Amino acid sequence: MIYNKSIAIVIALALLCAINFTNAQEAQNDSTELPLKIEQAEPLFIDLIRDLGARKGESEWNVGLGMFDRLNYDKYEALVEYEWAVKDRLGLEIEVPVSIYTSNGLESANGTRPSNRIESIKKAFQWTFLVSEKMNTSMAVGGINEFVFTPLDSISTSSVFQGDVVNPFLIAATNWRNGFHSLIYTGPRWFIPFNKELKREFEYEINTNFHYMIPNTRNFIGVEFNKILAQDDFDMTIRPQMRVSISNKLLIGIVGGIPINRERERLSSFIRLIYEPGHRHK
């Protein structure tokens, strides 16, 4: 518990520092002048907390639906998330994902399917500390804190949560000015259990992204390479994707999933609906 509190304190202090630094930057800028923001293609599966260089007042609703063909069962995932910029370049997010597992007729004694569950409550922040017009590059740091629920069939008043996931991250993105965009999203991820029956877990994520955005639109095609390094293990899933603008405030993203090996999962698909109330796009 002391370790958990220490992590929470570090995240809180980082957030306060980001807020204070952003306030200082705002005080130096003219109140009528919008801060610089470089258009960057945002990945659709491992999405960002807010746009890089987000401006105060911007917000976004996301609804995601996914289907994952696991070796011994099928997984259906739904999520609802809300993200908003509380200050220029400082974004916050809250997300609630839900997972439902069904039989695919291939279950075995060594591969029974998990219980249906509300996965977690995810809270996150992201601070864009660099927006370089000369390099057409943005960089950000942030953190995700995730309280993981106990499965619905074994939940009780004394064990609502299984544990805590802590995930600090770094983002660097470049708009190459010819329609091409690249982005890297990377950081460690710890699972800290709340009881002795579960064990701590550690993995490191490296997500690299390449997109081509059609000129004068917000439509793009691209690919994510989601890589996870754990003890004596490496997994990568290739996720080709496209985003289409339905209106000035509504977009839809379609993602496929192709693992490089089939240790845990075969093909998958994911759809993300993105609603941006009150946005102004150039």
Side-chain angles (χ1 to χ4, degrees):
M1 292 300 293
I2 293 175
Y3 182 67
N4 297 345
K5 291 179 180 179
S6 298
I7 292 175
I9 290 171
V10 170
I11 291 176
L13 289 174
L15 181 56
L16 287 173
C17 290
I19 292 173
N20 289 334
F21 187 87
T22 306
N23 284 338
Q25 283 189 318
E26 288 181 345
Q28 296 174 0
N29 294 332
D30 186 272
S31 59
T32 61
E33 182 180 351
L34 291 175
L36 177 65
K37 180 179 179 181
I38 297 170
E39 185 176 44
Q40 308 284 1
E42 179 178 351
L44 293 170
F45 191 76
I46 307 294
D47 71 323
L48 309 185
I49 307 306
R50 266 310 298 143
D51 293 346
L52 294 172
R55 294 164 179 161
K56 181 179 179 180
E58 292 180 346
S59 63
E60 181 177 299
W61 283 96
N62 279 230
V63 176
L65 299 170
M67 183 177 70
F68 305 84
D69 182 7
R70 296 291 171 87
L71 298 184
N72 298 295
Y73 52 85
D74 291 331
K75 175 185 176 184
Y76 297 88
E77 182 178 279
L79 64 86
V80 176
E81 81 179 36
Y82 179 66
E83 55 188 59
W84 71 104
V86 293
K87 296 285 185 181
D88 288 339
R89 301 188 180 182
L90 178 62
L92 302 180
E93 178 187 284
I94 185 165
E95 176 185 326
V96 179
V98 177
S99 294
I100 297 174
Y101 301 89
T102 63
S103 174
N104 63 2
L106 300 175
E107 290 183 73
S108 64
N110 297 324
T112 56
R113 68 179 184 269
S115 301
N116 299 334
R117 62 191 298 170
I118 301 172
E119 289 286 350
S120 62
I121 297 177
K122 297 173 67 174
K123 298 91 54 196
F125 79 93
Q126 176 186 295
W127 172 50
T128 305
F129 65 88
L130 172 70
V131 180
S132 171
E133 187 173 21
K134 181 179 179 180
M135 297 185 294
N136 234 25
T137 295
S138 303
M139 297 184 70
V141 293
I144 299 173
N145 182 248
E146 184 175 356
F147 287 116
V148 180
F149 282 106
T150 300
L152 294 176
D153 59 359
S154 57
I155 198 168
S156 67
T157 55
S158 60
S159 60
V160 176
F161 296 105
Q162 277 189 338
D164 188 21
V165 174
V166 178
N167 175 206
F169 58 81
L170 170 69
I171 301 169
T174 298
N175 180 336
W176 297 97
R177 294 187 174 91
N178 54 4
F180 292 95
H181 298 249
S182 62
L183 182 147
I184 183 168
Y185 179 120
T186 185
R189 179 182 172 92
W190 291 275
F191 172 69
I192 305 165
F194 290 162
N195 61 69
K196 296 181 180 180
E197 297 178 2
L198 301 173
K199 61 181 181 179
R200 292 173 180 254
E201 296 178 7
F202 172 81
E203 58 189 28
Y204 194 90
E205 299 179 342
I206 306 173
N207 302 308
T208 46
N209 309 269
F210 303 94
H211 292 87
Y212 175 74
M213 187 173 293
I214 299 172
N216 303 315
T217 75
R218 293 191 291 156
N219 305 333
F220 64 57
I221 57 173
V223 62
E224 285 183 54
F225 297 93
N226 300 143
K227 300 172 287 294
I228 298 177
L229 290 80
Q231 185 176 6
D232 301 322
D233 191 26
F234 171 78
D235 286 317
M236 182 172 79
T237 302
I238 303 170
R239 301 191 190 276
Q241 56 195 252
M242 63 180 295
R243 187 180 73 180
V244 178
S245 177
I246 306 301
S247 69
N248 193 46
K249 298 180 180 180
L250 183 64
L251 303 98
I252 182 170
I254 302 172
V255 184
I258 308 168
I260 60 170
N261 57 55
R262 296 190 174 188
E263 292 180 357
R264 299 181 180 87
E265 185 175 286
R266 288 182 283 262
L267 299 179
S268 63
S269 59
F270 184 78
I271 295 176
R272 183 183 293 272
L273 295 174
I274 305 164
Y275 176 65
E276 302 175 324
H279 264 38
R280 293 177 295 171
H281 296 285
K282 295 181 180 180

